[in-house]
Amino acid sequence: MTKRLYYDSSEIHEFDSVVENTVTPSPGQSRPAVILRETAFYPASGGQVHDTGWLTVVGGNSGGNRAPERLRVSEVADTEDGGIVHYLEAPAPPLVGTAVHGSIDPERRRDHMQQHTGQHVLSAAFIELYQMPTVSFHMGTSEAYCSIDLATPTVTSEQIVAAEKRANHIVFENRPVRIRYVSRAEAEKLGLRKLPPAERDELRLIEIADFDLSACGGTHVSASGQIGSIILRKTEKARQGTRVEFVCGNRAVRVARRDFSALSEAAALFSTQLWDVPEQVRRSFDDSKLLRKQREDALDQLAELMALAALRDPPGTKAGKIVARVFSDRDISFAKLFAQKVTRAATPAIALVASTMDPPGLIFAQTPGGSADMGALLKQVLAPVGGRGGGSRDFAQGGVPAGSNINLERLLREAAATIGT
Ligand SMILES: [Zn+2]
């Protein structure tokens, strides 16, 4: 078993140790790894993310002028038998018995301590205020949120605000956070917020003075003030109840900074104050809805007028008047609207319409109940050019491959000629 130096203090960032075991790269695990006699590196567990850092081989190159070999520790994990594996970005692990000096990335560790202790405070606040127990904890990597799942179907926004206020109050009081070890029997008498499943005789307890006591193997700050601040974010339904997102410390500052930048940019676009952005967005939504409606009405009127004008000229056939038109500046939905207007005019009519705009398409339509078969006609003209489409007797829609140089006017002339005969 690896001796875990972080159990006694989260402030140990530098330590000396010896390689006890090695894992050489294999097809299943491409990175080499070492197990040390003792380590301050925290492995991913209990919802907390692992540490990263460096292992420096001590005295490995004493004879030469080369700098000591530094190996990057990119991942740290628990083994089933109590060891801690350090995965290295190196071609091969140092030999068993090699003396190494370990250095943990201090900022990453500090961030994890803030998030993790913040979680203890927050979970305790939800118990104290609303008797909502935490059933799971997830710590996102540095750019992401952390979350707890509360065993409750819902959490109101008032409860979120109250829990956030209470948690930050505990932060500002700068209460000592202590580590103690007790037997399981003692722990059962202490009334812990969370008692782990019965597998160990000795339990490591984290106590936030006069506020929270729980069993935990993670890394924590030594006084609640070091959490900095706790900001609650969104809530959502989770399998086990309700998920509450939160960020603490420097992460809270980064998130607030990012949100402020985004909101400032939006406010500048609207030439307004930050707090007026929602109202401006709402107004802008309403405006665009109105404009969309006005545009639709205008297009409808335009299609109607164009249809009436088109119906004036063409000679009638036994199937009705045939209007053939290729639009190069209108999309297929306008072409469809135009076809509808043509075929709904009093005169029995056929509309053979196409749009060359991307994606190019064709609409064949006739006044309902007409004598031609639009679906069959469309298939007939599209088949030789590799187009696809179909529909009913009265209405059919199809397309030709985008970018193909198919002459749509010629296709419409062919279709018209077919009906005319
Ligand atoms: Zn903890």
Side-chain angles (χ1 to χ4, degrees):
M1 276 174 58
T2 310
K3 181 170 163 49
R4 295 164 190 244
L5 301 172
Y6 61 82
Y7 267 176
D8 297 325
S9 168
S10 298
E11 300 294 340
I12 301 173
H13 296 158
E14 304 280 332
F15 64 98
D16 291 305
S17 190
V18 173
V19 175
E20 277 209 332
N21 213 338
T22 61
V23 182
T24 45
S26 65
Q29 176 51 256
S30 62
R31 289 171 300 178
V34 291
I35 294 176
L36 306 177
R37 189 180 57 206
E38 64 265 284
T39 187
F41 278 90
Y42 184 83
S45 69
Q48 184 173 332
V49 186
H50 63 83
D51 284 319
T52 55
W54 298 92
L55 289 182
T56 308
V57 175
V58 178
N61 299 296
S62 53
N65 294 325
R66 278 158 59 201
E69 197 180 1
R70 286 181 90 218
L71 309 169
R72 181 72 185 154
V73 178
S74 55
E75 192 182 341
V76 188
D78 270 316
T79 65
E80 279 179 10
D81 56 355
I84 294 180
V85 197
H86 307 71
Y87 290 98
L88 304 172
E89 286 174 18
L95 300 175
V96 170
T98 304
V100 290
H101 179 80
S103 314
I104 288 166
D105 292 335
E107 265 187 47
R108 181 178 163 105
R109 164 62 73 82
R110 169 73 47 200
D111 172 61
H112 294 172
M113 287 156 64
Q114 287 180 324
Q115 311 311 316
H116 195 146
T117 319
Q119 179 260 311
H120 282 236
V121 172
L122 190 59
S123 290
F126 271 111
I127 288 273
E128 183 192 71
L129 296 174
Y130 307 112
Q131 297 77 49
M132 292 175 179
T134 295
V135 286
S136 77
F137 163 51
H138 169 76
M139 184 192 291
T141 49
S142 64
E143 296 311 312
Y145 303 121
C146 304
S147 64
I148 49 173
D149 286 358
L150 297 172
T152 173
T154 53
V155 182
T156 66
S157 49
E158 288 78 16
Q159 287 172 327
I160 288 290
V161 171
E164 183 181 65
K165 188 176 170 196
R166 178 64 177 146
N168 279 297
H169 190 77
I170 299 296
V171 171
F172 304 148
E173 286 179 336
N174 200 25
R175 298 185 185 217
V177 179
R178 298 189 195 96
I179 304 165
R180 36 199 273 226
Y181 293 90
V182 296
S183 69
R184 190 159 187 95
E186 277 175 275
E188 276 164 11
K189 277 183 246 152
L190 287 170
L192 301 190
R193 175 166 57 78
K194 201 176 168 193
L195 197 62
E199 54 185 29
R200 285 187 218 118
D201 288 339
E202 193 185 50
L203 292 178
R204 180 179 187 253
L205 304 188
I206 302 302
E207 178 176 34
I208 300 169
D210 302 320
F211 185 63
D212 186 46
L213 185 62
S214 57
C216 184
T219 55
H220 308 85
V221 297
S222 55
S224 62
Q226 293 168 20
I227 296 168
S229 60
I230 303 176
I231 298 182
L232 271 58
R233 309 278 302 183
K234 74 168 196 251
T235 61
E236 63 185 10
K237 271 229 138 330
R239 197 167 48 84
Q240 304 185 84
T242 304
R243 182 158 300 164
V244 178
E245 285 183 357
F246 68 95
V247 275
C248 304
N250 258 334
R251 235 187 251 209
V253 174
R254 281 204 303 275
V255 164
R257 168 58 51 194
R258 192 198 58 199
D259 290 358
F260 177 77
S261 300
L263 208 47
S264 298
E265 204 179 319
L269 287 171
F270 286 115
S271 304
T272 189
Q273 301 291 346
L274 295 192
W275 52 88
D276 282 332
V277 166
E279 180 55 30
Q280 290 288 349
V281 170
R282 223 171 281 130
R283 240 184 265 165
S284 163
F285 265 143
D286 290 347
D287 282 355
S288 64
K289 222 158 112 186
L290 184 69
L291 286 172
R292 206 159 46 232
K293 177 84 182 67
Q294 286 173 342
R295 183 175 177 272
E296 274 168 19
D297 289 349
L299 283 176
D300 193 81
Q301 286 171 19
L302 179 64
E304 176 96 41
L305 290 171
M306 288 174 80
L308 292 176
L311 281 165
R312 251 182 255 132
D313 303 332
T317 69
K318 63 182 179 202
K321 285 193 166 191
I322 300 176
V323 173
R325 169 77 62 92
V326 175
F327 291 106
S328 58
D329 55 349
R330 302 266 168 206
D331 64 9
I332 192 68
S333 59
F334 184 82
K336 190 172 170 182
L337 193 61
F338 175 78
Q340 279 168 355
K341 298 291 181 191
V342 167
T343 56
R344 279 176 200 166
T347 322
I350 290 175
L352 307 171
V353 194
S355 166
T356 57
M357 281 176 80
D358 197 33
L362 297 90
I363 305 281
F364 286 8
Q366 69 178 353
T367 303
S371 61
D373 185 339
M374 296 296 113
L377 182 63
L378 185 70
K379 278 203 167 80
Q380 187 188 323
V381 298
L382 282 181
V385 297
R388 297 166 72 97
S392 64
R393 280 185 66 86
D394 291 339
F395 182 88
Q397 182 166 357
V400 292
S404 60
N405 278 330
I406 294 160
N407 187 332
L408 293 177
E409 293 205 27
R410 191 176 53 79
L411 286 190
L412 297 193
R413 274 201 305 276
E414 279 173 25
T418 307
I419 301 165
T421 55

